[in-house]
Amino acid sequence: MTVRKLLLPLIATSLLTLPTLAQAAPGADGEAEGEAEGSVSLGGDAGADADANADAGGSDESSAAKSKPKSKSKYSLRKDQKWIKRWAPEKNMVELGVYGGALLLAETHELFGADLDLPDQGYKPLRALNPDLGARVGYYPIRFFGVEAEGGVMPSKLRDASGNAMLYTFRAHAVAQLGLWSVTPFVLVGAGGWGVSSPRGSLGNDIDPALHFGGGVKIYINRWVMLRLDVRDIISHQQSVDATFKSHNLEALLGLSVTLGRKKDKDARTDRDGDGFYDDEDTCIDEAGVAPDGCPIRDTDGDGILDPDDSCIDKAETFNEFNDEDGCPESDRDGDTFWDDDGTGASQDTCSDQAGVAPDGCPIPDTDSDGILDPDDACIPDPETKNGFEDVDGCPDVVPSALAKFNGAIKGITFDNDQATIRASSKKTLDDAAKVLTEYPDIRIEIAGHTDDTGDREHNVDLSRRRAEAVEKYLIDKGIAADRMETIGHGPDQPAQPLDAAADSKKMTKQKRSANRRIEFKMLSGK
């Protein structure tokens, strides 16, 4: 069965109701309108009954009473408009509604709780055509655009009728509509989720993301009631790991909504700017205003503080949570977010030209200029010696001789040729290094590997890095914490004794290359 054959009866039924609704719509406002102007049909004469009674005769008093103009109800202004424009959408409307319709499921779907122990992981086909019921709420800040949220259920069955499944959805979408008439076409696009709730013997439980788009038409019957027709495509996953957003499912809905938020009509007098002052009493008919003349109170500098409350009418307020109510700007010359004197004697910043901190906006001093601020400096008059040893206490110091021995190129650490395997002869040197690092637990070091210039550079860089990491691992095995060490491989790029091809003898070249193959320790600044 094609989609067209399934939807044709629903759409045809909806469209056939429109002429009847249009004929009934003008009189649907209730007794307030009927008492004000009598029964009126499209194209009819509101005064027909009065004219007929007058022609039929009667007493002068009765005729006078019947010919006297009737007072208008608060909604009577709309009777001067044709129904097709009378209930066109307005800004700030709210629509609350319910809907019912049909959902045409795609042949395959992803709505099942996957279980590797079940055939097809638990997938079973559902029947194609299913009822669709739900509720919606929408808000339209302008007559041409709004947002809506919906929730609904679609009761279904397995295609072989062996079990039931309840499909459900929650979604939101943006709506663009041609809000010029009581009959309003629209389009929408949105996203949400839809899922299934059923026994494990059917499909289990599952929920998937879904996109949807579509369009339709709204018929605003009167101030309070709207009929609506939607046709949509719901796009979600097919039955496959990688078939995401490939399943197209058709949805046709007929809804009934209550519309709220329309502007109430006061009487035949107009209020063009909507400020509550009728145009014949409003000095500024195109600008919403206040008493006594309907004109707005001015805000000359545009800072949101009206002139009567603004101490600086021609200068905009700086909204910074400091004297924001006076309407005057503030400055922050040093950019430390503490505001300078605004001319009234009020200031947050005692040091307006030096970036500082709370409470007075002045900088925290560093008397000895060693980069350690006085509150953290144990030796305020004497600068810190930056040598990698106790560099954060702010005091001058000398690296202990035991540590100094392990700062720079470390003699006695050797490796197998072209390998990162540490030779047994290196054990004593590394054990001594581990002992010193254990004695000084606050020291952090960088372990750098270096090679000579023989062979491929990239290979040498990688070899030097692996050698540095081998040393690090040895020290870790000796109990030195890994976070106290960093490794790097320089390869041949930082030779201890650069080669001079023109001047060096073969023996000297060999000696320099030997010196360039090394491991260096460097103490890092920190504790």
Side-chain angles (χ1 to χ4, degrees):
M1 180 178 292
T2 66
V3 174
R4 183 180 298 174
K5 290 181 179 179
L6 289 170
L7 293 180
L8 187 58
L10 177 63
I11 296 174
T13 302
S14 301
L15 294 176
L16 287 173
T17 62
L18 298 184
T20 303
L21 293 170
Q23 290 290 339
D29 291 313
E31 294 180 358
E33 291 179 332
E35 292 175 0
E37 295 190 4
S39 299
V40 181
S41 62
L42 286 177
D45 186 352
D49 291 343
D51 292 341
N53 289 335
D55 292 340
S59 66
D60 293 341
E61 181 179 353
S62 175
S63 298
K66 291 180 179 180
S67 63
K68 182 179 180 180
K70 297 180 179 180
S71 62
K72 296 184 178 181
S73 75
K74 62 182 178 180
Y75 302 140
S76 64
L77 260 184
R78 306 233 180 196
K79 287 297 184 180
D80 297 334
Q81 305 174 33
K82 293 182 178 181
W83 175 82
I84 193 64
K85 290 189 175 182
R86 187 181 306 165
W87 302 115
E90 301 173 23
K91 66 179 181 179
N92 294 321
M93 282 184 60
V94 175
E95 298 177 359
L96 305 174
V98 295
Y99 64 79
L103 172 68
L104 185 63
L105 280 173
E107 184 174 352
T108 60
H109 61 84
E110 186 66 13
L111 295 172
F112 63 95
D115 189 335
L116 296 177
D117 295 329
L118 297 176
D120 289 336
Q121 298 185 20
Y123 166 80
K124 294 179 182 179
L126 289 165
R127 68 184 179 189
L129 190 61
N130 303 276
D132 195 334
L133 305 170
R136 64 168 62 100
V137 58
Y139 172 64
Y140 291 77
I142 60 175
R143 62 193 305 180
F144 301 104
F145 178 80
V147 291
E148 292 184 341
E150 292 180 350
V153 295
M154 298 81 89
S156 186
K157 293 179 179 291
L158 298 181
R159 189 173 296 176
D160 60 7
S162 62
N164 297 326
M166 178 63 73
L167 307 184
Y168 59 90
T169 184
F170 51 89
R171 57 198 176 191
H173 44 253
V175 182
Q177 61 186 19
L178 191 57
L180 301 175
W181 310 285
S182 300
V183 178
T184 301
F186 66 90
V187 294
L188 59 83
V189 61
W194 71 340
V196 60
S197 178
S198 69
R200 177 66 273 179
S202 295
L203 292 170
N205 300 310
D206 188 33
I207 187 168
D208 290 323
L211 307 174
H212 62 278
F213 68 93
V217 63
K218 301 177 182 179
I219 302 98
Y220 293 91
I221 299 172
N222 58 30
R223 175 179 290 272
W224 310 110
V225 180
M226 178 194 75
L227 186 67
R228 168 171 169 166
L229 176 66
D230 291 60
V231 178
R232 304 178 186 175
D233 184 5
I234 301 175
I235 308 171
S236 190
H237 303 337
Q238 284 185 345
Q239 182 204 1
S240 175
V241 174
D242 58 352
T244 56
F245 295 107
K246 292 187 177 181
S247 173
H248 293 268
N249 306 270
L250 198 59
E251 189 178 41
L253 306 173
L254 187 63
L256 186 67
S257 297
V258 174
T259 59
L260 306 173
R262 288 187 182 274
K263 182 179 177 181
K264 294 183 178 180
D265 307 314
K266 297 179 180 179
D267 53 36
R269 299 163 71 188
T270 59
D271 177 13
R272 190 181 310 174
D273 54 19
D275 60 1
F277 296 89
Y278 295 120
D279 292 349
D280 58 353
E281 299 175 345
D282 195 336
T283 304
C284 304
I285 61 176
D286 293 314
E287 294 180 275
V290 295
D293 57 1
C295 289
I297 299 176
R298 302 297 176 188
D299 176 13
T300 302
D301 54 17
D303 59 3
I305 300 176
L306 300 178
D307 289 357
D309 303 317
D310 197 330
S311 299
C312 303
I313 293 176
D314 297 320
K315 297 179 182 179
E317 170 66 59
T318 307
F319 289 98
N320 49 27
E321 299 183 359
F322 175 65
N323 288 351
D324 285 348
E325 69 283 348
D326 63 359
C328 293
E330 292 85 37
S331 64
D332 178 18
R333 291 198 300 273
D334 54 19
D336 59 2
T337 72
F338 294 93
W339 300 101
D340 308 330
D341 187 349
D342 61 357
T344 64
S347 175
Q348 292 180 323
D349 200 337
T350 304
C351 304
S352 299
D353 296 309
Q354 292 177 284
V357 296
D360 58 1
C362 290
I364 299 175
D366 176 14
T367 302
D368 54 16
S369 301
D370 59 1
I372 300 174
L373 301 179
D374 287 359
D376 303 317
D377 197 330
C379 301
I380 292 176
D382 304 311
E384 171 65 56
T385 306
K386 300 291 184 178
N387 53 14
F389 178 69
E390 297 181 353
D391 284 346
V392 296
D393 62 358
C395 294
D397 46 49
V398 176
V399 178
S401 58
L403 272 176
K405 179 180 178 182
F406 291 99
N407 192 28
I410 309 301
K411 294 182 179 180
I413 302 178
T414 58
F415 302 85
D416 289 344
N417 186 44
D418 201 30
Q419 300 294 323
T421 306
I422 299 174
R423 290 177 177 172
S425 60
S426 307
K427 181 176 181 298
K428 183 179 184 308
T429 301
L430 290 173
D431 288 346
D432 288 345
K435 181 179 178 181
V436 170
L437 290 174
T438 302
E439 185 179 349
Y440 295 94
D442 292 336
I443 296 300
R444 297 179 65 251
I445 63 170
E446 176 189 85
I447 305 171
H450 299 266
T451 66
D452 61 27
D453 62 340
T454 304
D456 179 71
R457 178 188 175 279
E458 291 185 3
H459 171 76
N460 285 335
V461 170
D462 178 66
L463 176 62
S464 65
R465 175 186 57 78
R466 289 188 288 114
R467 286 178 171 179
E469 291 173 350
V471 172
E472 178 188 44
K473 184 178 183 306
Y474 188 97
L475 295 175
I476 290 173
D477 292 342
K478 290 297 181 178
I480 306 305
D483 62 3
R484 294 179 58 194
M485 295 177 284
E486 299 178 6
T487 61
I488 189 170
H490 295 293
D493 295 342
Q494 296 182 9
Q497 296 186 20
L499 297 178
D500 186 339
D504 290 347
S505 65
K506 184 175 182 180
K507 181 179 180 181
M508 186 178 296
T509 298
K510 184 177 180 180
Q511 291 174 343
K512 287 185 175 181
R513 283 178 172 160
S514 176
N516 290 340
R517 297 189 297 270
R518 67 198 188 278
I519 291 292
E520 288 187 353
F521 287 180
K522 182 174 72 173
M523 287 190 294
L524 300 175
S525 294
K527 294 182 179 180

